[in-house]
Amino acid sequence: MTTIVAEAPKIRSQTKQAPPELTLKWVYGFDELDMAETRVKPDGWDGVRTLLGGKGANLAEMTRLGVPVPPGFIVTTEACNAYLTYDRQFPPGMWEQEMAAMRRLEAETGKVFGDPKNPLMVSCRSGAKFSMPGMMDTVLNIGLNDVTAQGLIAQTGNPRFVYDSYRRLVQMFGAVVMGAPDEPFEQVIEEVKHKRGVKLDVELNAEEWREITERFKGLILAYKGVEFPQDPYRQLELATRAVFDSWFGKRATDYRNATNIPHDLGTAVNIQTVVFGNMGETSGTGVAFTRNPVDGAKELYGDYLINAQGEDVVAGIRNTLPIAQLRQDMPVIYAEFSQICDKLEQHFHDMQDVEFTIEQGKLWMLQTRNGKRTARAAIKMAVDMAHETLITKKTALKRVTPEQVEMLLHPQFSEEVKHAARAAGNRLVEKAVNASPGAAVGQAVFDADTAEKWAKEGKAVIMVRPETKPDDVHGMIAAKGILTSRGGATSHAAVVARQFGTPAVCGADKLQINVEQRLFIVEVDDHVIEVHEGDWLSIDGGAGEVYRGQLETREPDFESEIELKSLLAWADEVRTLGVWANADYPKDAERARRYGAEGVGLCRTEHMFFEQERLPLVQEMIMAMSKARRIVALEKLLPMQRKDFEGIFRAMAGQPVIIRLLDPPLHEFLPSHHQLVQELADLKVQLQHFHTLSEIDAALAEVRQKEDILSRVQALNESNPMLGLRGDRLGILMPEITEMQVRAILEAAINVQRQGIKVHPEIMIPLAGHVNELAYLKKLVESVAAEVFAEAGATVEYKYGTMIEVPRAALTADQMAREAEFFSFGTNDLTQTTFGISRDDAEAKFLIDYTEKGILPENPFRHLDRDGVGKLIEMTVLLGRSARPGMHMGICGEHGGDPASIAFCHQIGLNYVSCSPFRVPIARLAAAQAAMNNS
């Protein structure tokens, strides 16, 4: 066997030369944090994380704190960006600095890289500014080769440990660095275990691991046509390149897209002395959180394995032990570990996600970072840490995202529904790892590509895998829930699921998953059940349970969310933007109040007309060919509308209620033209089969009725009904509709006011584009108000305003403000009329392509278009308040519940946002964050 002489290779010169100014310090030792801080001094710790990456910065900080960290160094993110910019060649001086850092490591450890007698081994890990768990590449045990393996055996007397470590390097190198498929490597291990008759990796002996290592080398040669490199420096060079290249790997790019991490940050490379957790029963490795990342409890939470290396824990290929058991297995180590965790949390002022290795009874900390957590845990931790004075209330408000509030309020399974499913024999898994809470219902799929494809087709999917890998992330993002048969609470599946708020059940080892056959088998009460791809599953990530079929979900109990209510109370102290709700029925208004709404920003009266007992009366009114007949129908609707408004006024108890008069075109309340034609054709066919005179007369009467409706539908037909006879135009041409609605509003207000409840009705005219429309309808409203007040012998204060939904209204806002006392921006229609597109058609036909191709940065119906629609809104605010100082304004479209749009509303000085009752808590937090970010 040839002895490998470890000499640093010369890196070939760039084909595209880097400019001279890029020749700078590319490498920092863990003990050189002060130098990095000096380099980025104006940007503080954020600048350090940008330069060294989050992992490298924290390793250096732990070193400075005196925490036991294996020595190492960081190749900066600047080096990565230079490498990616200049034809994937190392920038000038980088490799030489990396070699100098290796020599410092040799001096510090007393070992020599590539030395056959006392070899130094290092790991090569990624580390971007923002944590991206498992999304980029890692290679362990670099420096092992045929020669150093023999030297390590002679040094340790433990050939099993050495060949276990060597095969890990070859396996990782083949899959990560050289791009060989990883499945054949796992198949080799399974074949050897099957031949030996064992189930666990730890049961294989030294000779079997040596055989596996040789077979792994053969796989690399077979798949890539080159041999595994024996030169340690060549291993290090290729591993460094692989980590740099992984920044733009598919899984990393997908993850950044899903989490809005910029693509220009680059990743650092962390080279660290390897400590071995697979050296026997006094060694081990684990991952832990300083608080419970699932529910936020103040307790150590995590997993570990005896006689293993770190990838075994996070990969989920072995079911792990809970961290609490380490107290019994290694009490001294556990005490030291617990103390370090507390120190790190106090120092970083946040829950930490730590990796550790125990090498022959010595504890080493390999990483710390702010831990990913569920929505529930994020909220509880923020509130608890504020109460503990570890952070301030304002920091607590910044710690929780509006999206996490939304996740917490996602639907759940009730105990009654689950009990019924259990009684029917549909519970497939009773108790697995409750990796990420929440209820998810979807169709089973067995690979990430199918999950993504089905999700794009509008299907809800549950991704089922033995364990997930970083390459599965695009499917995990698309899935409604995740189910694995292997892995623990800190496995890849669990960490990513918590990051995205996706319900997940892991380590369900009762499941026999066959990915090739697209099914899994599970035994329940002595019955074998098969679940095939496409079958429906329901998973409870909070309870760790899996059910067959589609379980019904329920609204969560907001009143029981004590920590959330505390956090939102703090938000209310900070925000200046009001949060109102869109509520069409009394029950919506009651829910809005419970969730903290301060008013109703939009009550859509047409929704009340679609009620089953009211729709015939609305249709009677539409079919009426004279004003007198319309009034008869409207008089029947009046008490129903009045009752609805009374319920809303009572629910809001003195808070303002903006009621929009009838907006949609009348044809929406009638059957469609296509439906009527089909029904008439069917009736005429049936007529041929009737024999009695009564049957024929009844059928003919129905035919005449449908022909009348069809005639009316044809008369109401418009080429573009959304820009036709609707909104204020309908109110002007059929004023009796407006008169009935105004009467219902004001009579309801007086009735509730007489009950001792304050009322603040605001009447809103939809779709106005000209001041004369507002002036005409204002006279009508004032006339009806005078009649109502005279009849009742009482008055009530009300406001008169309009929705801003068309560009002309925005451009002439100073004129509109002469008649209107308030403006409410209907941003859905304003976006349609500004872009000149129909939302339904655009989202179905081309908006997805536009955003994917970068023609539009995002869907303008999801996030407010600041450059176009936003500019119109800002102009309206300035013009309106120039004519009516202090004029009250808000938005009531779907953007009212979007955090980014809420931030814009705060910046331009709106008074409130109005959104769905379910999004009121989200808006309260977003409004507070907008106030803090713009203070």
Side-chain angles (χ1 to χ4, degrees):
M1 189 177 290
T2 305
T3 301
I4 303 298
V5 179
E7 293 184 357
K10 299 291 184 184
I11 302 300
R12 62 186 181 278
S13 62
Q14 287 86 348
T15 56
K16 181 177 179 181
Q17 288 293 325
E21 64 267 23
L22 283 183
T23 305
L24 41 78
K25 185 169 177 61
W26 304 109
V27 177
Y28 291 82
F30 290 172
D31 57 354
E32 293 181 320
L33 183 58
D34 291 347
M35 295 176 64
E37 288 175 329
T38 300
R39 165 85 184 281
V40 299
K41 191 171 184 178
D43 297 322
W45 185 246
D46 185 70
V48 172
R49 287 172 55 82
T50 302
L51 178 67
L52 304 183
K55 182 179 295 183
N58 288 349
L59 284 167
E61 183 70 352
M62 283 199 294
T63 300
R64 184 158 66 182
L65 289 172
V67 172
V69 175
F73 59 87
I74 306 138
V75 185
T76 66
T77 60
E78 291 178 335
C80 173
N81 285 329
Y83 167 86
L84 294 172
T85 300
Y86 295 99
D87 288 345
R88 284 176 156 75
Q89 299 298 318
F90 291 156
M94 191 210 89
W95 182 247
E96 291 76 11
Q97 291 178 32
E98 192 166 339
M99 292 303 94
M102 286 298 296
R103 289 192 291 273
R104 290 199 303 274
L105 270 190
E106 290 175 334
E108 190 170 352
T109 61
K111 300 177 181 181
V112 178
F113 194 51
D115 184 77
K117 293 183 179 179
N118 188 24
L120 170 68
M121 268 74 72
V122 296
S123 62
C124 181
R125 297 173 183 261
S126 61
K129 177 180 181 179
F130 301 107
S131 175
M132 297 170 54
M135 296 303 114
M136 291 178 290
D137 288 337
T138 291
V139 183
L140 303 179
N141 308 336
I142 295 169
L144 273 174
N145 57 27
D146 293 345
V147 174
T148 56
Q150 294 304 313
L152 196 58
I153 290 171
Q155 187 182 57
T156 64
N158 190 343
R160 187 206 171 281
F161 145 70
V162 173
Y163 281 116
D164 180 27
S165 302
Y166 193 7
R167 68 89 186 176
R168 292 172 188 272
L169 169 63
V170 180
Q171 182 176 0
M172 285 186 172
F173 209 91
V176 169
V177 178
M178 307 188 80
D182 54 3
E183 289 82 2
F185 293 97
E186 290 297 331
Q187 288 170 2
V188 167
I189 296 175
E190 292 303 316
E191 286 174 16
V192 174
K193 288 195 293 188
H194 180 73
K195 179 180 176 182
R196 171 79 186 283
V198 299
K199 292 185 177 181
L200 302 177
D201 293 0
V202 292
E203 296 176 281
L204 296 178
N205 60 35
E207 179 56 30
E208 286 155 347
W209 282 126
R210 189 198 65 75
E211 175 197 339
I212 288 170
T213 304
E214 293 304 313
R215 290 179 65 179
F216 281 1
K217 292 178 190 174
L219 286 174
I220 292 176
L221 184 60
Y223 278 101
K224 305 308 295 183
V226 295
E227 293 187 344
F228 168 76
Q230 291 286 314
D231 183 347
Y233 285 105
R234 182 62 174 164
Q235 294 174 11
L236 182 61
E237 177 206 342
L238 292 177
T240 302
R241 291 180 182 277
V243 172
F244 281 163
D245 288 335
S246 71
W247 175 252
F248 279 117
K250 183 180 187 308
R251 64 180 187 259
T253 302
D254 286 346
Y255 186 92
R256 290 197 298 276
N257 286 335
T259 53
N260 297 315
I261 295 175
H263 293 292
D264 59 357
L265 293 174
T267 180
V269 176
N270 298 282
I271 307 297
Q272 189 171 23
T273 305
V274 172
V275 288
F276 293 97
N278 58 333
M279 294 188 72
E281 295 304 307
T282 60
S283 301
T285 188
V287 176
F289 298 82
T290 58
R291 299 192 188 211
N292 189 316
V294 177
D295 63 17
K298 192 175 182 181
E299 61 185 10
L300 284 178
Y301 177 98
D303 304 303
Y304 75 102
L305 287 168
I306 296 294
N307 197 18
Q309 280 199 286
E311 291 302 303
D312 295 342
V313 176
V314 296
I317 57 177
R318 285 172 59 184
N319 286 342
T320 52
L321 301 171
I323 195 69
Q325 192 168 322
L326 187 63
R327 189 197 299 266
Q328 283 74 46
D329 291 345
M330 300 180 182
V332 175
I333 292 291
Y334 181 86
E336 181 186 4
F337 176 70
S338 179
Q339 186 178 25
I340 289 172
C341 286
D342 185 61
K343 182 177 185 178
L344 292 174
E345 183 175 282
Q346 292 292 320
H347 181 77
F348 288 104
H349 301 281
D350 202 354
M351 181 265 279
Q352 295 298 291
D353 169 3
V354 300
E355 294 182 19
F356 66 94
T357 287
I358 305 160
E359 183 184 71
Q360 294 184 317
K362 166 69 175 173
L363 175 66
W364 295 96
M365 303 301 293
L366 307 185
Q367 172 176 288
T368 190
R369 60 188 174 192
N370 294 340
K372 306 298 182 188
R373 62 207 71 180
T374 67
R376 181 173 300 283
I379 293 165
K380 179 171 173 53
M381 286 181 202
V383 173
D384 286 353
M385 287 182 181
H387 286 318
E388 296 163 17
T389 67
L390 187 61
I391 60 176
T392 65
K393 287 182 180 180
K394 286 190 175 181
T395 300
L397 289 169
K398 292 179 179 180
R399 281 275 168 87
V400 178
T401 67
E403 291 76 17
Q404 286 171 324
V405 174
E406 181 180 14
M407 290 173 195
L408 185 65
L409 298 176
H410 276 177
Q412 307 289 331
F413 299 134
S414 69
E415 284 303 319
E416 293 77 14
V417 165
K418 293 200 293 184
H419 177 76
R422 289 193 291 269
N426 287 330
R427 183 166 68 179
L428 305 181
V429 176
E430 181 178 351
K431 189 64 179 175
V433 177
N434 52 340
S436 183
V441 180
Q443 294 173 273
V445 297
F446 289 86
D447 69 271
D449 292 339
T450 303
E452 184 178 54
K453 177 176 179 291
W454 284 20
K456 285 183 176 179
E457 294 170 0
K459 298 178 181 177
V461 299
I462 304 292
M463 195 167 84
V464 183
R465 300 284 292 167
E467 73 274 336
T468 64
K469 300 176 181 178
D471 289 338
D472 293 326
V473 70
H474 59 293
M476 300 173 75
I477 292 169
K480 297 294 185 184
I482 298 164
L483 172 62
T484 70
S485 58
R486 297 199 287 263
T490 57
S491 64
H492 175 264
V495 171
V496 173
R498 288 194 290 268
Q499 162 78 5
F500 291 107
T502 304
V505 174
C506 297
D509 53 12
K510 287 177 61 179
L511 305 184
Q512 299 175 43
I513 298 174
N514 190 318
V515 174
E516 290 73 25
Q517 294 185 21
R518 327 296 286 179
L519 61 84
F520 70 77
I521 298 171
V522 61
E523 186 174 324
V524 179
D525 297 331
D526 298 326
H527 296 288
V528 175
I529 296 174
E530 289 188 2
V531 174
H532 296 260
E533 189 157 78
D535 290 348
W536 285 90
L537 292 173
S538 299
I539 69 172
D540 186 336
E545 296 174 339
V546 182
Y547 295 85
R548 181 171 52 172
Q550 297 171 263
L551 269 61
E552 182 183 351
T553 58
R554 65 167 173 81
E555 177 191 341
D557 181 12
F558 180 75
E559 293 301 317
S560 68
E561 301 295 344
I562 306 303
E563 286 84 10
L564 176 59
K565 292 180 73 175
S566 295
L567 188 79
L568 294 178
W570 299 343
D572 294 341
E573 295 171 3
V574 172
R575 64 182 170 87
T576 57
L577 194 64
V579 177
W580 297 15
N582 302 339
D584 305 327
Y585 303 100
K587 65 178 184 294
D588 295 333
E590 291 165 4
R591 179 182 290 114
R593 283 295 304 274
R594 289 199 306 272
Y595 283 12
E598 299 161 314
V600 170
L602 176 63
C603 174
R604 292 161 286 210
T605 54
E606 64 270 11
H607 284 196
M608 302 169 182
F609 287 173
F610 284 106
E611 292 285 317
Q612 186 173 2
E613 71 276 9
R614 303 176 193 190
L615 188 57
L617 296 176
V618 177
Q619 292 174 343
E620 179 185 336
M621 180 268 294
I622 296 170
M623 295 297 297
M625 300 309 294
S626 68
K627 180 176 181 179
R629 292 186 63 183
R630 274 197 299 274
I631 290 174
V632 170
L634 289 167
E635 286 176 347
K636 297 175 186 176
L637 282 170
L638 173 62
M640 298 177 181
Q641 284 248 285
R642 184 171 57 225
K643 183 179 178 182
D644 286 330
F645 297 145
E646 287 173 354
I648 292 173
F649 290 143
R650 275 194 293 268
M652 297 312 294
Q655 292 181 328
V657 177
I658 297 179
I659 299 170
R660 182 181 72 185
L661 302 185
L662 189 64
D663 183 39
L666 292 180
H667 79 272
E668 289 195 5
F669 298 98
L670 297 175
S672 70
H673 184 276
H674 174 78
Q675 178 186 344
L676 286 167
V677 170
Q678 184 64 52
E679 289 175 356
L680 276 168
D682 292 343
L683 277 171
K684 289 174 182 178
V685 170
Q686 292 171 17
L687 262 172
Q688 300 173 20
H689 302 287
F690 293 144
H691 302 293
T692 68
L693 188 60
S694 60
E695 288 177 330
I696 294 171
D697 286 345
L700 286 172
E702 189 174 357
V703 167
R704 284 192 294 271
Q705 181 189 32
K706 290 192 180 296
E707 285 177 338
D708 289 343
I709 297 174
L710 178 60
S711 175
R712 188 65 173 138
V713 166
Q714 289 170 336
L716 292 171
N717 180 58
E718 295 176 297
S719 298
N720 191 340
M722 295 312 291
L723 293 178
L725 183 58
R726 55 168 284 216
D728 65 329
R729 301 157 195 166
L730 185 63
I732 290 171
L733 292 187
M734 296 184 181
E736 56 274 14
I737 297 176
T738 300
E739 289 169 353
M740 183 278 287
Q741 292 199 293
V742 172
R743 175 172 286 275
I745 292 168
L746 297 179
E747 287 180 350
I750 290 171
N751 291 344
V752 174
Q753 185 174 261
R754 283 174 169 159
Q755 296 168 10
I757 301 171
K758 291 183 179 180
V759 289
H760 294 287
E762 302 189 18
I763 297 169
M764 182 161 66
I765 306 299
L767 208 70
H770 197 287
V771 65
N772 290 345
E773 292 174 310
L774 285 182
Y776 182 93
L777 288 171
K778 188 176 186 179
K779 290 179 182 177
L780 184 62
V781 169
E782 289 173 344
S783 173
V784 174
E787 288 180 13
V788 171
F789 295 161
E791 293 166 7
T795 62
V796 67
E797 290 187 8
Y798 69 93
K799 287 184 178 180
Y800 176 83
T802 188
M803 289 188 86
I804 304 294
E805 301 175 88
V806 296
R808 192 183 190 285
L811 295 168
T812 60
D814 51 343
Q815 298 175 29
M816 305 289 276
R818 291 202 300 266
E819 302 294 339
E821 296 174 89
F822 66 89
F823 287 159
S824 177
F825 295 95
T827 51
N828 296 336
D829 273 0
L830 187 58
T831 299
Q832 290 191 103
T833 55
T834 301
F835 274 91
I837 58 177
S838 157
R839 176 176 184 171
D840 292 342
D841 292 331
E843 290 188 328
K845 301 288 178 59
F846 63 85
L847 264 187
I848 293 175
D849 281 344
Y850 265 44
T851 53
E852 287 180 349
K853 292 174 181 175
I855 295 171
L856 289 176
E858 53 201 0
N859 184 337
F861 294 104
R862 184 168 297 173
H863 304 296
L864 191 69
D865 164 44
R866 294 192 181 196
D867 294 339
V869 178
K871 193 170 290 184
L872 279 176
I873 294 174
E874 194 167 7
M875 180 190 306
T876 304
V877 172
L878 295 173
L879 287 172
R881 287 177 177 161
S882 70
R884 187 181 289 270
M887 189 177 190
H888 207 252
M889 301 186 196
I891 70 169
C892 61
E894 290 180 31
H895 298 103
D898 169 54
S901 304
I902 289 169
F904 176 75
C905 293
H906 173 91
Q907 291 166 13
I908 64 171
L910 294 189
N911 300 99
Y912 69 91
V913 294
S914 187
C915 57
S916 157
F918 293 103
R919 296 195 69 81
V920 165
I922 300 159
R924 289 166 67 189
L925 178 61
Q929 292 178 343
M932 290 187 291
N933 293 337
N934 290 277
S935 60

